[in-house]
């Protein structure tokens, strides 16, 4: 966006916001990488009239799909951590859009 005269105060604010947004984005990416990837699935099996439930964490490693068994006691904590990762991913998307907008403004 071209303006007739560049205001140094506004330009300084935009540069400061760009710097802050980059720092927040780096922190969010580092936090998301520490959290588990994938989705939690439940398999049900009927054996002798009883139903058994097995929880699995499904994720992709390269071309392979990996199913990792999750103990019943760890399911709630894992669900919370996966939800936290999804929240981080949504915030990362917002900050990337914000940085793209700021870069267009600062050209």
């Amino acid at each position: 966006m071209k303006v007739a005269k560049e205001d140094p105060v506004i330009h300084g604010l935009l540069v400061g916001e760009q710097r802050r947004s980059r720092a927040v984005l780096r922190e969010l990416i580092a936090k998301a990488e520490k959290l588990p990837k994938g989705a939690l699935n439940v398999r049900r099996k009927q054996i002798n009239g009883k139903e058994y439930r097995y929880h699995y964490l499904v994720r992709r490693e390269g071309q392979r799909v990996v199913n990792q068994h999750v103990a019943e006691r760890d399911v709630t904590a894992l669900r919370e951590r996966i939800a936290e990762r999804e929240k981080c991913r949504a915030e990362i998307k917002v900050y990337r859009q914000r940085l793209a907008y700021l870069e267009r403004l600062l050209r």
Side-chain angles (χ1 to χ4, degrees):
M1 179 161 82
K2 292 289 182 182
V3 291
K5 185 177 176 184
E6 207 174 88
D7 187 358
V9 174
I10 300 297
H11 183 74
L13 286 172
L14 291 174
V15 168
E17 176 62 21
Q18 184 183 34
R19 214 175 302 128
R20 187 192 72 77
S21 293
R22 280 189 183 133
V24 170
L25 182 62
R26 277 193 302 273
E27 290 173 13
L28 283 171
I29 290 172
K31 182 179 178 182
E33 286 181 3
K34 292 178 185 175
L35 295 169
K37 293 180 182 179
L40 193 61
N41 284 348
V42 179
R43 291 184 185 164
R44 290 179 168 81
K45 291 195 176 196
Q46 290 271 340
I47 300 174
N48 295 332
K50 284 180 105 176
E51 182 179 274
Y52 296 95
R53 294 173 29 178
Y54 300 97
H55 296 276
Y56 284 89
L57 179 65
V58 181
R59 67 180 184 281
R60 186 172 288 282
E61 289 181 2
Q63 294 294 322
R64 295 180 35 214
V65 175
V66 177
N67 292 305
Q68 180 182 5
H69 183 270
V70 177
E72 187 71 33
R73 65 181 178 274
D74 300 333
V75 171
T76 343
L78 185 61
R79 272 196 187 114
E80 291 171 1
R81 294 185 74 205
I82 289 173
E84 189 176 342
R85 180 182 174 86
E86 291 303 316
K87 182 180 171 188
C88 282
R89 288 180 65 197
E91 287 183 47
I92 286 169
K93 184 177 179 180
V94 168
Y95 273 97
R96 283 187 173 148
Q97 290 172 347
R98 180 177 294 166
L99 278 170
Y101 178 69
L102 288 169
E103 286 176 17
R104 284 193 310 268
L105 284 177
L106 291 171
R107 277 191 217 152

